[in-house]
Amino acid sequence: MSDPETVEVVAERVARASRVAVLTGAGVSAESGMATFREPQHGLWSKYDPMELAHIDAFRRDPELVSRWYHWRFSQAAECAPNPGHRALADLERVLTGRGCDFVLATQNIDGLHQQAGSERVLELHGTFLTWRCTETAERVPLDRVDFSSFPVRSASGSLMRPDVVWFGEQLPADVLRRAEEAVRSCDVFMTVGTSGVVWPAAGFCELAASAGAATVEINPEETPVSGAAQFAIRGTSARVLPMLLERIVSMDS
Ligand code: OAD
């Protein structure tokens, strides 16, 4: 099938669905100017070692380095705005929930761009860098109340603060993961968008949805390890494909 034909078939499936689940990764924010992780040349992990920057042991070893890195990444994200792919997902949520369809967006992204675009039903699997957390009391503090005048970052009472993200070597928040897996297991249509599909547990979602009988869709310019579990593949960027898909769904009766 050509891409336009696949878009048409997928739009029909989504328009008829009672439950839709979407998983997103760094590719969705690429067209906003956020770097992805694993792409050769531009990916963050082609320049930096994740075990030195995104592992709980790295933070224990060198909290200053890790905190500075997350602060730098947030400063870059602050210059980025949601792109047409983020906005199409937010509109899709409004359209589908308005028709009585259950809709869940699980994201591995920590940049908050889905919410900025208007998405409300967002499950942040890897946390967010828009809040920091006290390592002693677990209190969450929004960025504008975090004191970044020195690193590592400290709370008013002197405790060590950390970004509110999930690092390698840590468990995903149990409740968020449970809700995401439930949505994936019970949906009629599952879409995996802009993720390389190598980081677990999200890497297993497409297979989980397929084995539960959902129509599975991959939107990504490249093939990935989960492509085999995707019934439909649309090989384009999310900022191009998602608005096309939305436009077709909106034009169809539920
Ligand atoms: P990756 O960098 O591993 O994968 C990004 C994917 O997006 C690739 O498959 C690209 O082909 C695709 N892509 C690039 N540009 C795109 C575009 N404009 N539209 C659609 N797709 C595009 O990022 P993730 O899969 O999100 O975790 O990585 C998963 C996790 O690994 C991250 O959450 C992060 C990282 O290490 C932690 O740091 C814990």
Side-chain angles (χ1 to χ4, degrees), residues 49-61 66 70 167-170:
D49 179 355
M51 295 306 127
E52 297 295 324
L53 294 164
H55 196 290
I56 178 63
D57 292 341
F59 182 73
R60 288 190 185 121
R61 228 175 12 246
V66 172
Y70 276 87
W167 282 316
F168 292 109
E170 294 188 306

Side-chain angles (χ1 to χ4, degrees), residues 170-190:
E170 294 188 306
Q171 300 288 327
L172 270 61
D175 183 51
V176 174
L177 179 59
R178 184 187 52 74
R179 286 160 61 203
E181 284 178 340
E182 256 171 39
V184 171
R185 211 179 283 116
S186 62
C187 67
D188 307 306
V189 179
F190 172 78

